[in-house]
Amino acid sequence: MCRMLLVFAMLSAFAAAWASEAKVDEAIPMTGDSFRPVFVRMEDQLFRKAGDHEAFCKKHADRPRSQNRKEVTALLQKKADGSWKQVEELVAQLEKEGGIRGLRRFWIVNGFVCPAKPSAIKKLAEHEAVSFVYLNRFARPATRPRPMSDAQGIAMKGLFELWQKKPADPNWRDAKIPWNLKEIKAPEAWRKEKAFGQGVTVAVIDSGILPTPSLAHALWKNPQETFNRKDDDGNGLVDDVFGYDFSSDSGFVQETNQMMSHGSACSGIIAGRPSAKSKWLTGVAPKAELMLLKGSFDLRALEYLLLNDADLVSMSFMIVGRELGHLRGLYRNAFEHLSAAGVLSMGGAGNYAAGPRALGKGKQIGLPKDIPCVVAVAGTTKDRATVSFSSKGPCYWEDVAFFSDYPRNKPLSKPDLTAFPTGYPMWTYPPSRQTKARGWQEISAEEGASLVVGPGGNSFSGPHGVGVAALVLSANPEMNPWEVKVLLESTAVDLGPKGHDTQYGAGLLDALAAVRQAKKN
């Protein structure tokens, strides 16, 4: 009997050790005593594995988006607090022993990040409340926050003063409309359906904007913040008046690049107001508001935009040509939670089909655009010809913890939609000698920025989709994100091979058809 008990105990110990090892990302070096950057994912998630998001959408389709948003946001935070109570004692012990440090909690995915030693990682994995320990491939060296400099503070106050001068009703009737907006029938949605993006907030995770009236007048304003070097709303962020830069922990959200303002171009396509000088109107949804964020792949940005009632998020970042392993699943988890809470995520499909940056099949559309609930927008020309560089699908999800539902014999069809990547006015800096040599042309020099024809890439296709989604939500605010995605695809104009394909997705965006269908739903 004693021998049997001993054998049972040995088997139990072996099983426990095996189970904890199975919960540790195999990419984490587990020898030595150095700190490893990890994300500890807790067991209690709203969506634990592939298919859970789809089941939620089916079950909650009859509920209005506002109800789903309220309930899901509260539930995500409740789950995170409950899990923290379970591991708090172990974490305190490991911190005291020097096994972990610099911990930061999250709730958009229930878990926390920290540098941890292998011995501490093993102890965390053994805890019943922990589901998996990821190698945090996006970890950055710890740096001190960089608060706004005096010059940046003056610049932001200037932007605020510009924002205050916005007209009550932009004069879109006399505006010059660029061809790209006409080709997706945005002006027809304005005139015939009175859908302008009114009441819709778009979070733009990009490089920031230039201080020009057409963009400043489109900005969302945090109602509880002002520029005073204080945290007025008590959210731990100072001067997050128009948004926040999570990469530097600063409320400075203006452009810092000196050659090209990627954020200005994308923001202008989404919601650029009519120019008082040249009359150009660049925004697909010219009454939507823009929340400016910096910090790609920083989960704090997703939590911020959700807590501050963003309806859509435009993302000008993507990872290709880099091994991400299981970490892909962690971010899929985050964006599926965001979708359930009422936010549709969108962006360009990428520029990796041809040229020196070309990638092979299945590798051209990367994280986060390879996530099923995230909309990836490819490119076409004005005459509907193929754009050689536009990334093609499909995408694969295999050998990813919890999310291996799209293997090579059953891939995920991407991209989702198509728009225009170049050839129309965008807000940025005046052309330099180098960009002039590439054919960039300034069509209007304005206060704080210029309208330039020439920049190109699917980064600029994506905002077309965001703008049309904003028009849809202005017509039917209670549509859930997955319903908007299906609607945009079902009303798109088919391009290329009949049906959904890996070049154009469902086809070219059609704003008028989408808005009209939204009103029927």
Side-chain angles (χ1 to χ4, degrees):
M1 185 63 138
C2 292
R3 173 178 281 183
M4 290 179 63
L5 290 174
L6 179 60
V7 170
F8 178 77
M10 291 176 63
L11 289 174
S12 297
F14 175 80
W18 180 86
S20 65
E21 288 180 7
K23 293 161 63 175
V24 176
D25 191 334
E26 63 268 19
I28 301 175
M30 293 297 288
T31 57
D33 199 40
S34 299
F35 284 96
R36 321 296 188 196
V38 298
F39 189 107
V40 180
R41 178 188 189 250
M42 309 309 292
E43 183 67 36
D44 190 15
Q45 305 289 336
L46 176 62
F47 304 143
R48 188 180 182 279
K49 63 184 185 308
D52 288 352
H53 173 257
E54 289 77 5
F56 175 95
C57 295
K58 185 176 181 180
K59 182 178 179 180
H60 293 78
D62 60 341
R63 294 189 184 184
R65 185 168 65 99
S66 58
Q67 181 181 353
N68 283 332
R69 182 186 199 109
K70 182 179 179 180
E71 293 178 0
V72 168
T73 303
L75 184 57
L76 291 173
Q77 293 175 313
K78 181 179 179 181
K79 286 178 176 291
D81 288 341
S83 295
W84 179 248
K85 289 179 181 179
Q86 291 181 270
V87 299
E88 190 172 14
E89 184 177 342
L90 173 60
V91 166
Q93 176 188 336
L94 294 175
E95 286 180 327
K96 185 178 180 179
E97 295 172 352
I100 64 174
R101 63 190 183 191
L103 184 147
R104 172 177 285 149
R105 293 174 54 197
F106 294 96
W107 52 263
I108 193 67
V109 178
N110 181 5
F112 56 89
V113 294
C114 64
K117 294 182 177 181
S119 57
I121 293 171
K122 291 176 182 177
K123 290 179 181 178
L124 287 167
E126 290 170 359
H127 198 288
E128 62 181 2
V130 172
S131 68
F132 200 77
V133 182
Y134 296 87
L135 176 63
N136 184 10
R137 298 170 189 259
F138 295 144
R140 297 175 179 175
T143 58
R144 292 182 179 180
R146 301 191 299 274
M148 273 192 278
S149 65
D150 291 340
Q152 288 176 331
I154 292 171
M156 289 303 294
K157 287 182 179 179
L159 182 63
F160 180 68
E161 291 172 358
L162 196 55
W163 174 83
Q164 290 179 306
K165 296 177 183 177
K166 62 181 178 180
D169 186 15
N171 184 18
W172 60 270
R173 299 169 188 83
D174 299 328
K176 297 179 186 177
I177 310 298
W179 66 264
N180 57 309
L181 270 59
K182 294 178 181 178
E183 291 295 318
I184 61 170
K185 300 181 183 178
E188 293 181 57
W190 308 338
R191 290 191 294 265
K192 297 179 180 180
E193 301 299 331
K194 309 304 178 186
F196 300 90
Q198 62 271 26
V200 178
T201 299
V202 179
V204 182
I205 304 178
D206 210 310
S207 65
I209 64 162
L210 295 171
T212 191
S214 292
L215 300 181
H217 295 167
L219 293 179
W220 163 86
K221 160 79 169 55
N222 184 340
Q224 301 179 55
E225 279 285 342
T226 188
F227 289 107
N228 57 8
R229 303 295 177 99
K230 297 178 181 179
D231 176 17
D232 298 308
D233 58 3
N235 66 355
L237 309 177
V238 175
D239 288 347
D240 58 317
V241 178
F242 297 129
Y244 203 71
D245 178 358
F246 288 95
S247 59
S248 64
D249 281 324
S250 165
F252 186 76
V253 290
Q254 293 191 41
E255 180 64 74
T256 56
N257 186 294
Q258 298 300 311
M259 293 292 292
M260 163 69 187
S261 180
H262 196 283
S264 294
C266 291
S267 296
I269 295 167
I270 296 167
R273 303 306 199 246
S275 163
K277 177 182 178 181
S278 64
K279 308 300 182 184
W280 280 105
L281 192 167
T282 64
V284 175
K287 289 189 179 181
E289 295 187 341
L290 304 171
M291 177 191 297
L292 303 180
L293 299 172
K294 298 183 183 182
S296 57
F297 293 106
D298 193 321
L299 295 179
R300 291 177 297 170
L302 302 187
E303 294 180 347
Y304 181 92
L305 67 90
L306 182 52
L307 290 177
N308 286 280
D309 295 325
D311 304 291
L312 302 159
V313 55
S314 174
M315 303 177 296
S316 295
F317 56 90
M318 189 170 77
I319 296 289
V320 295
R322 176 180 168 187
E323 178 57 47
L324 297 178
H326 297 299
L327 196 66
R328 292 175 66 203
L330 176 72
Y331 281 86
R332 178 167 164 181
N333 216 168
F335 281 98
E336 288 184 345
H337 284 165
L338 197 64
S339 170
V343 180
L344 178 60
S345 306
M346 310 181 76
N351 312 306
Y352 301 98
R357 298 191 297 171
L359 296 171
K361 181 180 178 181
K363 298 181 179 180
Q364 297 176 20
I365 302 175
L367 195 73
K369 315 302 174 52
D370 61 354
I371 296 172
C373 69
V374 175
V375 178
V377 186
T380 188
T381 65
K382 183 178 180 180
D383 60 1
R384 313 301 190 264
T386 300
V387 176
S388 62
F389 60 75
S390 183
S391 288
K392 302 176 184 178
C395 295
Y396 306 119
W397 284 84
E398 54 188 2
D399 300 324
V400 177
F402 310 105
F403 296 98
S404 294
D405 50 340
Y406 291 100
R408 293 184 181 273
N409 62 350
K410 187 187 173 184
L412 174 65
S413 185
K414 286 275 182 176
D416 303 287
L417 292 160
T418 295
F420 305 108
T422 189
Y424 43 84
M426 299 185 201
W427 289 106
T428 185
Y429 292 104
S432 63
R433 182 190 306 176
Q434 295 95 321
T435 54
K436 282 181 180 179
R438 288 157 52 188
W440 292 22
Q441 180 182 3
E442 182 181 62
I443 63 170
S444 183
E446 312 246 346
E447 178 186 347
S450 291
L451 280 168
V452 176
V453 175
N458 275 329
S459 285
F460 310 125
S461 299
H464 287 76
V466 177
V468 176
L471 298 181
V472 166
L473 288 177
S474 66
N476 188 342
E478 292 291 10
M479 287 190 71
N480 288 298
W482 58 90
E483 295 169 326
V484 176
K485 181 178 184 292
V486 170
L487 183 147
L488 294 178
E489 293 173 353
S490 66
T491 56
V493 179
D494 193 24
L495 299 176
K498 187 176 181 179
H500 200 290
D501 61 77
T502 57
Q503 174 80 50
Y504 302 106
L508 182 67
L509 290 155
D510 187 325
L512 179 61
V515 169
R516 284 180 168 170
Q517 186 60 43
K519 288 186 172 183
K520 295 177 182 179
N521 287 7

